[in-house]
Amino acid sequence: QKEVEQNSGPLSVPEGAIASLNCTYSDRGSQSFFWYRQYSGKSPELIMFIYSNGDKEDGRFTAQLNKASQYVSLLIRDSQPSDSATYLCAVNRDDYKLSFGAGTTVTVRA
Amino acid sequence: NAGVTQTPKFQVLKTGQSMTLQCAQDMNHNSMYWYRQDPGMGLRLIYYSASEGTTDKGEVPNGYNVSRLNKREFSLRLESAAPSQTSVYFCASSTGGRGTEAFFGQGTRLTVV
């Protein structure tokens, strides 16, 4: 079983819609959860992190964590063409080892 | 601010050749990482170093060795390159600890022929 699993996509949404991305993890001891965005040919960059159950909002982005279900999600509201990228879920198990999922490619249609 | 610097950016190797990928960070971070990225596979952890003087295996360590030369530098060595090691390699660093952001280098595109 992979440590971090994501819907492979691709996910296509119209401009202005909500994009919903999902991620599950296998290790119940995981403590921190991250969403990175990666544009084609570029390095990943952090969007946000979460480590408490519930929702965390930052602008148009909302991360949701449910440790009981070992599930973390990312919502992108009012999607823009500039949001078209691959989104990577990452899990930090022991404050040091950072493991990533395969990523979900999002395309926002103008 | 340079952040995380990787060298080289591109490399072509012949099967069996060896090489070292270099990574340096100027953010005084404790933890450093090496990942490889293949199409559809996301980022897979090769090795990481939680702090200076320590290194640990990640998900895909076979065929690689690492050295944490000092706090700034973390190198990745391929002793005998194989076509299966054709990939984009990313180095990253972080302060370590809960919720800390990992910063990535620009990547090294390696092709083994």
Side-chain angles (χ1 to χ4, degrees):
Chain A
Q1 182 183 8
K2 292 186 69 175
E3 294 181 25
V4 183
E5 303 219 38
Q6 296 182 245
N7 295 24
S8 59
L11 177 66
S12 180
V13 298
E15 186 173 356
I18 295 175
S20 178
L21 306 170
N22 302 319
C23 173
T24 58
Y25 59 95
S26 60
D27 187 344
R28 283 196 174 275
S30 300
Q31 299 188 22
S32 303
F33 309 87
F34 305 80
W35 284 101
Y36 283 78
R37 176 177 61 201
Q38 186 177 27
Y39 293 113
S40 181
K42 301 296 185 182
S43 305
E45 55 184 358
L46 183 69
I47 298 174
M48 61 192 306
F49 73 91
I50 186 168
Y51 54 80
S52 298
N53 276 329
D55 295 358
K56 181 180 180 181
E57 187 175 314
D58 185 358
R60 295 186 296 109
F61 299 94
T62 299
Q64 300 173 316
L65 175 61
N66 183 326
K67 289 187 177 180
S69 300
Q70 295 175 240
Y71 173 92
V72 58
S73 66
L74 180 71
L75 299 177
I76 307 173
R77 292 184 302 281
D78 187 24
S79 295
Q80 302 296 309
S82 60
D83 294 325
S84 296
T86 296
Y87 291 80
L88 299 161
C89 174
V91 174
N92 197 327
R93 290 167 54 184
D94 57 3
D95 288 348
Y96 300 108
K97 183 178 178 181
L98 189 61
S99 299
F100 284 79
T104 300
T105 299
V106 174
T107 301
V108 180
R109 309 187 303 271
Chain B
N1 258 354
V4 180
T5 303
Q6 292 181 234
T7 56
K9 293 183 181 178
F10 301 94
Q11 184 71 48
V12 179
L13 287 179
K14 293 183 179 179
T15 297
Q17 285 186 318
S18 62
M19 80 161 295
T20 299
L21 306 184
Q22 306 285 354
C23 177
Q25 52 91 9
D26 62 3
M27 295 175 283
N28 200 35
H29 284 168
N30 294 315
S31 302
M32 298 187 73
Y33 309 84
W34 276 105
Y35 293 91
R36 60 178 288 174
Q37 187 170 38
D38 304 295
M41 303 289 286
L43 289 165
R44 291 186 292 170
L45 183 62
I46 305 171
Y47 272 93
Y48 68 105
S49 171
S51 60
E52 185 179 357
T54 68
T55 60
D56 286 283
K57 295 179 180 179
E59 304 167 56
V60 289
N62 291 345
Y64 304 96
N65 285 301
V66 291
S67 295
R68 183 75 183 265
L69 303 171
N70 47 55
K71 192 171 186 178
R72 290 186 64 247
E73 299 173 287
F74 189 39
S75 63
L76 178 71
R77 183 160 178 85
L78 287 69
E79 291 291 350
S80 179
S84 61
Q85 294 178 305
T86 294
S87 189
V88 179
Y89 290 84
F90 286 101
C91 176
S93 72
S94 76
T95 56
R98 189 167 72 166
T100 58
E101 177 179 359
F103 293 84
F104 285 81
Q106 75 274 36
T108 296
R109 186 172 294 276
L110 175 66
T111 302
V112 183
V113 298

